[in-house]
Amino acid sequence: MTPLLPKNDPLKSMSRRDALKMMALSPVAASVLASTGTPSDLEASASNATGRVVIVGGGAGALMTLARLRRALANPDIIIIAPNDKHVYQPGQIFVAAGEYSPEDIIFDNSGYIGKSVTWIKDEAATFDPDNNKLTTKGGKEVEYDYLIVAAGAQYHYEQIQGLTADMIGTNGISSVYLSDLAAGTAEGGRITHEWFLALKEAAKTSNPRVLCTQPSTPLKCGGAPQKILYLGDDFLRQEKLSADFIFATAGEKLFAFPEIENAIQKVQKGYGNITNKFGHDLVSIDAEKKIATFLHKYQIQGEYDKDLEEYDMIDKEESVEIGYDFIHISPPTGASEAIVNSPLSWQKGNAKGWLEVDRETLQHRRYKNVFGIGDVCGIPIGKTGGSARHQAPVVIKNLISVMESKKPEALYDGYTVCPLKVSYGKIIMAEFNYDGLAPSFPLDPAEPRWIWWAFDLYMLQPMYRYLMLNGLM
Ligand SMILES: Cc1cc2nc3c(=O)[nH]c(=O)nc-3n(C[C@H](O)[C@H](O)[C@H](O)COP(=O)(O)OP(=O)(O)OC[C@H]3O[C@@H](n4cnc5c(N)ncnc54)[C@H](O)[C@@H]3O)c2cc1C
């Protein structure tokens, strides 16, 4: 492997786990903590507003809001409905796949974050009745609320790919770094994908395998993850002086939404020299025995010239395309949690149908004003990432408290999100953007692949997430 750290770097002689612990105590982490206010500062200005707040979900968004809400209210009356005792640090699944983390580095206990002063119903919300301010859990318990925060995340639909079920992942050359059961607090996708990397390496010693990496047409949490696996998989072989034919088959029309980042990625791909992109290709079925993937290929052709409009008509076409493979990495079609999709809380039509209908800036429900949303579940036009949830949490809490105090919600989320695109072992393009465009936090060219972002992501982010973000301290 390429050395990840400079020669004689003290971190080199440490285990990854020790490095993670040490970084949590580092001056950088400490300065971030200092700049975000201590719990007692925040408690000093706690609101006397009353009312029962129910939080649905037990992931990043739920815990970030819970921690802030406990401090924001002088007399909190909070119920959290979350099935999971364990919490998965999902961004770490990529580093597990890469062989940089072990699976236990990304699983934390939820109990320490939820705490004893909060009523924890270990179940899932099954139905919502927002007209009567109540919901029912899977176990049949009716829960009433004055205010509701929905943080139920996203749900994978591997079964929408004909011929595929989640239990086939890890067999027959099939992998998916996404694979997890968040209700059970487990995540197998990283480990399985690392084994897939190793199997790929063995195959590349005697042949030139074909590797397919797919991206669906639905919104996807961490939309950059399919490409992260593509480049890390390719670089994993390159380090061993091995090669394979990689195909990136995406339902999308480009590699990244912003031209600066798109150009940078194209440069990265040229450097590899063995990657073919297939745009407009949506994986619809797979024959796992024969190793054939079938895509719905959508494209346009030029039609007649329209004299009035002075342009050519564009005619939509689609065809079925079969691609044989030796190895396939599948990023699953994704929707909101089923309970949200089937509830009056979801968008009933349009692009975001099925996702939570919140205002993209205030994160307040557009029809039920005592309901707020955070994280992947929100039907808003921005990437579904932990970075988004981190920037949404203070807005949700500020606006919720305003509503509880009968004031207008005025805090606005600017759409911040982040994609730390791992383009090789040791290099990341840190693409940060919001509703208006690229929004780098540091005065560095965001399109430049940098080692510093790799080191930051690998060593700093996990402890920052674990000790600061989930405790609502940044
Ligand atoms: C492979 C991968 C790589 C990623 N990389 C990055 C990255 O580099 N940077 C980044 O910022 N983000 C990344 N993300 C995305 C990030 O992990 C998510 O965006 C973030 O976890 C969203 O938080 P959330 O609370 O909305 O959802 P989650 O953290 O997924 O939590 C949802 C919770 O809701 C619970 N739940 C579901 N349905 C119900 C219900 N009906 N009732 C009660 N509870 C329910 C689930 O059990 C779970 O606890 C990555 C994700 C993956 C999978």
Side-chain angles (χ1 to χ4, degrees), residues 55-64 81-84 86-94 110 123-126 128 138 151-156 177-185 221-222 225 228 337-340 374-378 383-389 392 417-422 457 461 465:
I55 301 176
V56 173
L63 298 184
M64 287 173 191
I81 301 175
N84 47 314
K86 301 278 180 195
H87 177 98
V88 181
Y89 172 58
Q90 295 167 63
Q93 275 171 270
I94 301 286
N110 253 1
D123 200 350
E124 288 182 40
F128 292 86
K138 261 191 180 168
Q155 192 171 327
Y156 303 135
V177 74
Y178 284 92
L179 187 68
S180 56
D181 180 346
L182 297 180
K221 60 172 108 179
C222 187
K228 294 177 190 177
S337 168
E338 207 96 318
I340 301 301
I374 181 166
D376 296 346
V377 73
C378 294
K384 299 185 181 303
T385 70
S388 309
Q392 291 163 358
T417 196
V418 58
C419 176
L421 191 60
K422 292 142 183 90
D457 196 349
L461 268 183
Y465 176 90

Side-chain angles (χ1 to χ4, degrees), residues 52-68:
R52 170 176 294 167
V53 184
V54 170
I55 301 176
V56 173
L63 298 184
M64 287 173 191
T65 43
L66 173 64
R68 286 173 183 270

Side-chain angles (χ1 to χ4, degrees), residues 85-146:
D85 280 314
K86 301 278 180 195
H87 177 98
V88 181
Y89 172 58
Q90 295 167 63
Q93 275 171 270
I94 301 286
F95 282 134
V96 175
E100 297 290 343
Y101 286 176
S102 38
E104 57 270 26
D105 289 336
I106 63 166
I107 309 279
F108 318 137
D109 268 339
N110 253 1
S111 56
Y113 298 107
I114 293 178
K116 291 202 167 54
S117 62
V118 172
T119 304
W120 180 2
I121 298 175
K122 283 192 195 175
D123 200 350
E124 288 182 40
T127 59
F128 292 86
D129 178 3
D131 290 310
N132 293 300
N133 293 336
K134 60 185 184 189
L135 57 85
T136 312
T137 66
K138 261 191 180 168
K141 197 177 171 69
E142 195 171 277
V143 182
E144 295 188 351
Y145 59 80
D146 298 299

